[in-house]
Amino acid sequence: MESSPHLLVVDDHRDIRELLARYLREQGMRVTLAASGEELRRLMKTTSPDLVVLDIMMPGEDGLSLCRFLREHHASLPVILLTALGEDTDRIVGLEMGADDYLTKPFNPRELLARVKAVLRRTRQLPGESEQREGLKYHFADWVLDTDRRSLFTSDGVEVALSTAEFRLLLVFLRHPRRVLSRDQLLDLTAGREAQPFDRAIDNQVSRLRRKIEADTRNPALIKTVWGGGYQLNADVSQTGVVSQS
């Protein structure tokens, strides 16, 4: 049982917490529950969850503030947000702050389970995970990607939060600079799976990544769209740090 994924579910509604806990445990997950931001912060001192399911609308400290806290102190921990219908602004802000996915209430627990599995699969299958990379950093344009911290920094040291999916996508581009990568190739390299026909997940991820690294998202200069081909990182890339093979 210890090898099964450990989820931390944070929601102020007791019935939702208990329903999700019961269902997820039946599916072989380990589940810890928290009813508030204060409880989440306390639990993070003593537990190491594999993923956090986080409600946005809570009394006291809300989910967006907690998402920011998790990105600052547990940068690689995946987060799935739970949002109420019509909370489009909060959902977008949450994704820009580094949440990995979101689900709109009301939802079927089976859909949450599918999202959890997909996010965990992406997290655990980072490209090049078989290589042990110590202190490796990618420098491009006015940006630095720190692979140890899984964080993106401006040239003057300001950190920009990345979700796991955004980190994976940017890492693939940085490992293949100036090369045209099709959507199928990007899906395979980032998600470790065969692409589905008409899968637009990559387009959505590219749009989110552009909002963080492009000066003008309407005229992107770094991640270029190649019509009929896919996407291309239009920048020179250099590396610093040590790479040792396992």
Side-chain angles (χ1 to χ4, degrees):
M1 190 68 179
E2 278 301 310
S3 61
S4 61
H6 179 195
L7 310 184
L8 175 55
V9 176
V10 187
D11 197 302
D12 62 302
H13 291 94
R14 180 179 177 181
D15 53 346
I16 293 177
R17 293 197 309 272
E18 294 183 350
L19 171 66
L20 291 179
R22 182 168 61 252
Y23 178 77
L24 293 170
R25 285 166 180 158
E26 288 173 353
Q27 305 306 312
M29 306 280 182
R30 290 180 290 140
V31 182
T32 298
L33 300 178
S36 65
E38 181 181 1
E39 196 169 352
L40 176 144
R41 288 174 178 268
R42 185 170 64 251
L43 285 168
M44 290 305 300
K45 295 178 181 178
T46 58
T47 62
S48 299
D50 297 301
L51 182 146
V52 175
V53 178
L54 180 59
D55 185 30
I56 286 184
M57 293 297 293
M58 293 190 296
E61 187 173 14
D62 65 19
L64 294 178
S65 174
L66 293 170
C67 184
R68 185 185 301 110
F69 161 75
L70 291 172
R71 278 292 159 261
E72 290 175 353
H73 299 279
H74 308 274
S76 62
L77 178 62
V79 176
I80 295 178
L81 295 175
L82 301 181
T83 74
L85 191 62
E87 289 178 357
D88 289 344
T89 301
D90 286 345
R91 170 178 60 80
I92 293 169
V93 170
L95 292 173
E96 291 178 343
M97 288 169 56
D100 295 270
D101 204 347
Y102 72 93
L103 202 55
T104 302
K105 294 179 177 180
F107 58 86
N108 189 313
R110 291 178 61 184
E111 184 177 2
L112 175 61
L113 178 64
R115 301 291 183 95
V116 166
K117 288 182 175 179
V119 170
L120 288 175
R121 184 167 59 245
R122 293 197 301 264
T123 305
R124 293 172 175 178
Q125 295 178 353
L126 281 168
E129 194 75 356
S130 59
E131 296 179 352
Q132 296 302 313
R133 298 175 177 267
E134 301 175 357
L136 188 62
K137 297 179 180 178
Y138 289 85
H139 303 257
F140 67 105
D142 294 321
W143 297 97
V144 178
L145 183 71
D146 187 325
T147 59
D148 273 1
R149 297 174 61 178
R150 297 190 183 182
S151 297
L152 180 66
F153 296 89
T154 64
S155 57
D156 53 359
V158 177
E159 183 174 3
V160 176
L162 293 177
S163 69
T164 302
E166 291 163 352
F167 171 81
R168 290 169 55 85
L169 180 61
L170 180 56
L171 190 56
V172 168
F173 279 127
L174 294 175
R175 289 179 178 171
H176 303 89
R178 302 192 183 279
R179 174 180 167 186
V180 177
L181 298 170
S182 70
R183 290 178 177 83
D184 288 359
Q185 288 174 317
L186 289 169
L187 281 166
D188 186 54
L189 288 168
T190 58
R193 62 176 174 82
E194 187 175 325
Q196 300 297 317
F198 311 113
D199 194 329
R200 311 311 291 179
I202 286 297
D203 295 324
N204 294 333
Q205 290 176 22
V206 167
S207 295
R208 284 159 50 184
L209 187 57
R210 279 173 169 164
R211 287 199 292 268
K212 297 185 177 181
I213 68 173
E214 297 281 4
D216 182 357
T217 56
R218 292 173 296 180
N219 297 288
L222 291 176
I223 301 179
K224 306 287 287 185
T225 300
V226 181
W227 300 112
Y231 295 100
Q232 178 188 47
L233 179 69
N234 186 35
D236 293 325
V237 179
S238 61
Q239 299 177 12
T240 57
V242 178
V243 179
S244 61
Q245 299 293 331
S246 57

